[in-house]
Every structure is written in C-alpha cells, then in structure tokens.
Amino acid sequence: MDFSLSPEQKEMYDLAIKFAKNEMIPFAAEYDEEGTFCEKQIKKAWELGFVNTCIPEKFGGNGFTLLDAVTIGEALSYGCMGMYTSIMCNDLALTPIVVGGSDEQKEKFLRPFTESPKLASFCLTEPGNGSDAAGIKTTIKDGGDHWILNGQKMWITNGGYADLFTVYCTTDPELKHKGICALVVDAKSEGVSIGNKEDKMGQRTSDTRAIQFENVKVPKENMLGSPGDGWKIAMKTLDHSRPLVSSIALGGSQRALDLASQYAKERIQFNVPIAKHQAIQFMLAEMQMKIEAARLLIQKAAWQADQGIQNTIAASSAKAFAADTCMQITTDAVQIYGGYGYSKEYPVEKLMRDAKLIQIYEGTSQIQRLVISREVLK
Amino acid sequence: MNIFVCVKQVPDTETKVQPNGDGSFIETSSIKWIMNPYDEFAVEQALLVKAANAGSTVTVVRVGGVKDTEALRTAMAMGADEAILVEAEDNLDSYSIAKALKGAIEKSDKTPDLILAGKQGIDDDCLQVPQVLAEMMNLPSVAVIVGFEQNGETVTVKREIEGGALEVYEVKTPCVLATNKGINTPRYASLPGIMKAKRKPMQQLTLADVGVSADDRRVKYSDFQLPPEKPPGKKFDAMDEAEQQKVVSEVVGLLRTEAKVL
C-alpha cells in the first residue's frame, strides 16, 4: 500500500492551490454577495487545464485519472466551493458522453470543449423529481429523422451559460428506469428556454437555472447508447462524479479548519489565545480527524474508479461523509469565530452556507445512505 | 538562442524555519520547497525570449539536494525544455554554487547566448551568485533588472536604483542578467505542462562532474539561531490634553534615547 500522491499530483495540487489563493479567494466574497457568475475564473481555469478533466487524451483531453481530478478539486474548492461547482460542472455533464457515447459522438461532442472554454450542463433533476430520479417526466417522441423533446429540468448548474445539455428523458414515464434515455442537446435549439438565475442561500456565484424544452427537435444521432440505456449511463456517471463532488466538501472543510485554527491562535479570551482552551482544541482535533478520513475515502473511491473496480460503496460513503463533515466543520468554524463568525465581514459564514448545498445536490446525504445500505443488504 | 536559467529551490514562504540539531543549517526534513520567486521572473523572461526567437531552447540549472526537484519541475511545467541538476547540499556558499553552475553550463552541449537568474534567493538573501557566475565566465552582467528588450545581438535592460530612478544598459550577448520583480508576470504552469514536464530530460550531475571540490567552499555556516523574541510594546491610554502634552514629550524622549529612531 502506498498513500502518497505522485510527484505530478503534488504539483497539480500546488498549482491548483496557488490558483485558488490568487484567482478565487480574493473574489469569493464579492461574487457571493452580488451573485456574480465566475466566468473569469472558469476561463482562466480552462486555460490551465482544470476544466474537463474527464475527457480522454484521444479526444483532446489531458488524460487525467479521477485521482488527479479529486486532487485538483480539493485545491480549487479550497478557493471557493461555489466557483468549483461551476468549474467541475462540465465533468458531470460530459461524463455521460465519455461512458455512454460512441467514438464518433465523443469526437463530435467532446473535442470542441478542449478547443475553447465552452460549458455544458447535466440535466437530470425536474421540478417534481429529485431523489426519485427514475420518475422523470421529460419525454421524447420519435419524429422520424429526429427526436421531439418536451419537459422541464430544475436546478441546472451553469444552465444560463451552457452550450450543450446532457438531458435525461423517457420514451414512456410508465417504464421508469427502463425507459430512460440520455440525449445530447444543443443549447441553442429552437424550443429551449432558460429560466432566471436562482437566488440561492450559498454557492451564489454558481449559475443555477430551470430549463424548459418545448417540442425541441434533437437529431437521432445525439442519443447516447440506445433508448433505455439512460439509467445505466446516469448511474455510471454518478460513480465517477461522486468522488469529484466529495472533493468540493473536502476543500471547503480544509479551508474552514485553516481559518478556524488561525483565528483560534489570534483571538484572546480570559487572557490567552482561545486555542489554549481545551474546548477549542477538541473542536479543531475533531475537524482534522474527519478531514483525514474524508480524504482517504475520496481517494479510495477515485482510485477504485481508475482501476475499473465497482466503487459504489466507497463513492457514496465518500459523498455522504465528506458532505456531512463539511457541514459540521464549517458550522464549528463559525462557532470558533463566535459573533465575528456570524458576520459577513469574516469568511466562515459563507463556507457554512456553501457547505449546505453539498448535502443536497448530486444525491442527498440520505440517498447516499440508501445506496450504501442497498449494497450492504445485497 | 541557447538560454540558461539558474534556479534555486527555497523553503515555501509560509515555512516556519527552525535551526537543525547542531545549528549548522535549518531543519529541512519537513520543508515544502518551491522555486525561488525571483527565479520565476527569470524563467518567464527566458520563455518570452524563446517565443520571440524561433528554434531557441531553455535549459534550467539548479545546484542542491536531489530528494525534491520542485523548482526544476515547475520550470519545465512552465515551458522550459530541459533541466540539469547538480547534486549538492542545500547550504553551499555562493562561490561554490556559481562555480558549479558554470561547470554545468559548460558541460552541456549548448553554448549559452543568455544566462538568466533571479536577483537573490529569498532564503539566505546573498545577492551574489549571478555576478560571481558572470565574473567566472568572463561575461558582462547586470543585476536587479526590471526591463528587458532584445535588439539582435544586444539587449537593453533597465535596473531600478535609489529613489525609483532607472538606469538603462545596453549589453552584448552572451551575458548574465539577474531579474527583479516587475520585469514580467510569471505564467502559471498548466496541467498539460505538468504532464509534459514528466517526459522532459533532467540530467543529474555530481559536484565532481562540474569541477567543484570541498576546497572551493569559501564560507561555512557556523551557527543558526532564531531571532530573540520581541519585547512587548509600550501602550499609552487615552488622556486629557495636559496629560497628553506630558506623555508626547515622554514618548519622543524614549524614541530618542531608548529606541534611537529619532
């Protein structure tokens, strides 16, 4: 067993942390307050190769492993969880093409993302279907040489800026899992309408929208696999994306710990820095313990995916554990900062708001437990 | 053009430096190393010159420990073509380092047209190696440059002097130039750059290979100590005007006699 990152992975981490400190942290508070979309950061991140880590070398990508990607993800999320959600969104949206597309589709749909900083969105959730993903109501009908797409998608990350959507839809809602299809849809197609930017509690720099499809004509060759393959493709995508999403929680947790321990050394109460009080020491120790455990889980889930080993248990464990950990650590960081922590003048309340979303998106912490228990009870 | 860049690997600026057990150097076992920040300007300048002169190569040279090679790898990830690493202790003196750099440059299969280096290492702040190297190689040198313009066989460089004024020099190549902050904005290494750097050649040499022996050492560290802790400052609370007059003259007196800053 070897727990060390490769020299290249260490360099990737260092580069990403440098980027986080220089290009993300200085803008994070303002973007959060104003709800400004982090377009500049995404463009710069794309130039340095941080975006589209899932695209294989054969189609113009950098040939990263998932372990590389989560290493980068942790560092960038240290800068801002909201910005990284928008940076990694392409991976979520393009992975269905990587895992379910033909070589021709990969060449056609993935290559343009390596040539310019385009964005893509993953469209699974609907107004009435979140955790019950197989109950989707967005439908396609055969229109001869094309599909006709109708329905509404909800909470779509980067929805207002995307060039391409990967849309999950069904030939017949009665078929549940068996009827689901994965479709690549050009965002500029006639009949696509984009809702207003959602006014969210946290991760406010990240763009989140509702998308409406009304009799949208989609070329037949834009379907990934065959009708009914969509569920399998979505599940494979999630096995891949869960470690990556978990790395958002990890980066945010590490930032909260670093800020809290720094502050604890500076803040004087009862004539000593509060770091001298055991109550604070125990909180910091708890944070460190959980961060270390989350990092190992995430790395294992990513490593398993890279080895081609079924990683469902590790990936769902990583997601639930890292997200819940991040929520607790950021809450405790606010506690250590006390009144100052509750003020927007200091950076920790934003971390707490950003963290909450990670327990919800990409499968709630409850759904992850459902997935894990299903595997345990098999 | 054959461009050489001398880089140093220094402890990360956030490192809490501790003397080692016998005080001969700092404790290096758990240090995170980075490329000396002033050398980043030199690497960037080399890459800019390379881009303007088709067919150029950039070779980065470092003298120091071989356990970590961050500085050379970063330079190659930024775009340098190859690296030479001369194995040595990390606490050599400027003379030995300059001699080792000269040996390494002369041993390579390229004749230098331009040698760049950061003006100083941020660890020991000696500001010596580029000038010593130029002297040893019998090349012209300008240090602390903030401007660079190439006109064929000569370069026009600017250096900042007291009061913010600029000196302008015209230098014939080959020459040794030591870069300061302000000359350019170093690029980030990119992720594809990091992957490519893996496949770029890094030649490893010993001090003997480059003609340096223990006798070349002119300066040896005898003791490393942390600075004494600062005594706490004096505080004066809010007061009425009469009291204030008294206290102000007292403070001025102390600044004269005790702190000796007036």
Side-chain angles (χ1 to χ4, degrees):
Chain A
M1 255 189 138
D2 184 355
F3 284 97
S4 56
L5 295 174
S6 71
E8 289 77 31
Q9 283 163 339
K10 281 184 204 153
E11 278 176 71
M12 287 174 191
Y13 180 84
D14 289 346
L15 174 63
I17 273 286
K18 195 171 174 186
F19 184 84
K21 288 180 178 170
N22 294 341
E23 312 289 342
M24 297 168 87
I25 290 175
F27 304 94
E30 181 199 324
Y31 284 19
D32 172 66
E33 183 70 26
E34 312 282 335
T36 312
F37 185 54
C38 50
E39 254 179 313
K40 270 189 209 151
Q41 282 73 12
I42 294 177
K43 189 168 172 288
K44 278 189 186 166
W46 180 85
E47 284 164 4
L48 297 181
F50 292 136
V51 188
N52 308 319
T53 55
C54 69
I55 300 183
E57 239 170 337
K58 195 176 162 190
F59 304 102
N62 291 314
F64 291 123
T65 63
L66 192 52
L67 194 52
D68 295 336
V70 297
T71 306
I72 296 163
E74 178 190 341
L76 294 183
S77 305
Y78 187 93
C80 176
M81 290 181 259
M83 288 185 198
Y84 183 65
T85 290
S86 274
I87 288 173
M88 69 77 65
C89 177
N90 273 20
D91 277 321
L92 181 58
L94 300 180
T95 300
I97 303 173
V98 176
V99 302
S102 64
D103 272 9
E104 205 185 339
Q105 287 172 323
K106 288 179 195 175
E107 183 60 39
K108 182 176 171 192
F109 297 127
L110 299 179
R111 176 92 50 194
F113 285 83
T114 68
E115 288 164 349
S116 67
K118 289 173 180 298
L119 293 176
S121 295
F122 181 83
C123 306
L124 176 63
T125 300
E126 298 181 352
N129 300 83
S131 293
D132 182 12
I136 53 181
K137 304 274 187 294
T138 298
T139 57
I140 46 165
K141 282 203 178 74
D142 197 334
D145 62 342
H146 58 266
W147 299 104
I148 302 166
L149 176 67
N150 276 290
Q152 203 189 344
K153 294 292 176 181
M154 197 67 193
W155 314 122
I156 304 307
T157 304
N158 293 356
Y161 297 84
D163 297 284
L164 177 154
F165 298 124
T166 29
V167 181
Y168 292 89
C169 47
T170 176
T171 48
D172 177 4
E174 294 298 311
L175 289 173
K176 298 288 268 184
H177 307 82
K178 287 173 190 155
I180 295 174
C181 310
L183 214 56
V184 179
V185 179
D186 184 338
K188 286 174 200 73
S189 309
E190 203 177 316
V192 174
S193 44
I194 317 268
N196 293 329
K197 182 172 180 168
E198 300 289 345
D199 191 8
K200 305 196 298 294
M201 169 183 174
Q203 304 206 6
R204 292 170 51 79
T205 181
S206 178
D207 183 72
T208 313
R209 312 251 181 171
I211 316 272
Q212 178 107 28
F213 300 100
E214 208 178 338
N215 292 320
V216 177
K217 284 186 184 174
V218 182
K220 275 270 164 88
E221 64 268 22
N222 282 23
M223 183 174 290
L224 303 174
S226 313
D229 284 351
W231 185 255
K232 242 190 324 187
I233 291 171
M235 291 306 111
K236 263 196 192 169
T237 299
L238 295 177
D239 286 346
H240 201 86
S241 62
R242 273 175 186 150
L244 209 46
V245 174
S246 314
S247 77
I248 304 177
L250 179 59
S253 300
Q254 186 66 57
R255 178 95 199 285
L257 171 59
D258 287 356
L259 286 168
S261 54
Q262 180 66 32
Y263 185 79
K265 285 189 263 185
E266 289 164 6
R267 170 79 171 166
I268 311 267
Q269 289 292 279
F270 306 105
N271 297 320
V272 289
I274 58 171
K276 297 267 185 204
H277 300 304
Q278 208 172 47
I280 303 294
Q281 291 167 0
F282 279 19
M283 283 166 100
L284 294 172
E286 191 84 14
M287 291 179 177
Q288 175 56 41
M289 266 155 47
K290 293 200 166 157
I291 285 174
E292 192 63 24
R295 188 175 287 122
L296 290 172
L297 255 179
I298 293 167
Q299 289 174 341
K300 184 177 177 189
W303 175 84
Q304 283 184 329
D306 290 335
Q307 302 299 314
I309 301 167
Q310 181 71 35
N311 72 344
T312 309
I313 292 183
S316 281
S317 303
K319 167 69 170 59
F321 187 77
D324 294 351
T325 290
C326 188
M327 195 66 242
Q328 196 205 327
I329 289 178
T330 53
T331 307
D332 286 348
V334 171
Q335 192 68 22
I336 288 172
Y337 269 70
Y340 294 102
Y342 203 67
S343 158
K344 289 202 174 192
E345 288 287 309
Y346 288 81
V348 284
E349 61 81 33
K350 171 184 178 288
L351 299 183
M352 188 175 162
R353 288 186 285 107
D354 287 355
K356 186 65 215 171
L357 184 50
I358 312 175
Q359 289 182 307
I360 297 169
Y361 64 21
E362 282 276 299
T364 63
S365 288
Q366 289 68 33
I367 286 295
Q368 305 302 340
R369 284 171 171 80
L370 214 64
V371 172
I372 298 163
S373 65
R374 243 183 240 146
E375 295 291 320
V376 169
L377 294 169
K378 249 183 192 169
Chain B
M1 280 179 86
N2 296 326
I3 310 157
F4 285 82
V5 187
C6 308
V7 302
K8 186 175 191 181
Q9 193 164 283
V10 297
D12 187 34
T13 47
E14 286 169 23
T15 309
K16 272 203 178 141
V17 175
Q18 287 291 336
N20 67 3
D22 60 4
S24 63
F25 196 46
I26 55 166
E27 186 53 57
T28 56
S29 56
S30 59
I31 275 182
K32 185 177 149 37
W33 298 99
I34 57 166
M35 190 199 309
N36 177 39
Y38 290 111
D39 298 344
E40 286 188 29
F41 299 111
V43 173
E44 177 64 32
Q45 199 56 48
L47 295 174
L48 292 173
V49 174
K50 181 189 165 172
N53 295 274
S56 298
T57 55
V58 175
T59 308
V60 280
V61 194
R62 181 186 148 237
V63 181
V66 295
K67 199 173 130 268
D68 298 295
T69 54
E70 260 75 1
L72 292 178
R73 299 180 62 92
T74 303
M76 289 197 288
M78 285 169 77
D81 301 287
E82 54 190 86
I84 304 171
L85 172 56
V86 182
E87 181 174 5
E89 290 170 57
D90 277 311
N91 63 352
L92 273 194
D93 65 336
S94 303
Y95 186 88
S96 309
I97 290 175
K99 193 169 176 191
L101 289 169
K102 171 179 181 270
I105 292 169
E106 288 176 350
K107 215 176 154 62
S108 88
D109 54 359
K110 297 183 180 73
T111 315
D113 296 304
L114 180 63
I115 301 173
L116 291 157
K119 66 163 177 153
Q120 75 194 88
I122 59 156
D123 49 359
D124 54 18
D125 284 332
C126 288
L127 291 107
Q128 290 175 350
V129 169
Q131 294 89 319
V132 178
L133 173 66
E135 182 62 26
M136 284 176 173
M137 296 187 75
N138 200 22
L139 293 176
S141 85
V142 185
V144 203
I145 64 165
V146 293
F148 179 102
E149 208 179 299
Q150 186 189 353
N151 333 291
E153 301 284 294
T154 63
V155 286
T156 307
V157 297
K158 290 178 185 158
R159 71 186 294 270
E160 224 169 300
I161 54 169
E162 291 286 311
L166 290 174
E167 284 178 348
V168 182
Y169 289 84
E170 222 167 71
V171 197
K172 272 217 158 69
T173 56
C175 59
V176 180
L177 302 174
T179 53
N180 192 16
K181 188 179 177 179
I183 189 171
N184 54 42
T185 307
R187 68 196 66 190
Y188 287 103
S190 68
L191 291 180
I194 289 172
M195 306 299 266
K196 271 188 216 143
K198 238 192 334 191
R199 294 189 281 271
K200 289 181 179 174
M202 191 189 294
Q203 189 188 2
Q204 199 173 315
L205 301 170
T206 63
L207 282 175
D209 290 337
V210 294
V212 176
S213 70
D215 295 341
D216 287 312
R217 189 152 189 163
R218 304 293 163 96
V219 180
K220 249 190 194 134
Y221 294 116
S222 59
D223 195 14
F224 271 80
Q225 292 174 0
L226 287 178
E229 269 192 43
K230 271 190 197 159
K234 286 194 170 76
K235 258 191 190 169
F236 300 93
D237 292 330
M239 57 202 77
D240 63 35
E241 209 167 314
E243 182 77 355
Q244 198 175 321
Q245 293 237 325
K246 222 176 90 196
V247 170
V248 166
S249 61
E250 191 188 327
V251 170
V252 171
L254 283 174
L255 287 172
R256 275 216 177 89
T257 57
E258 199 173 287
K260 296 198 168 82
V261 292
L262 291 180

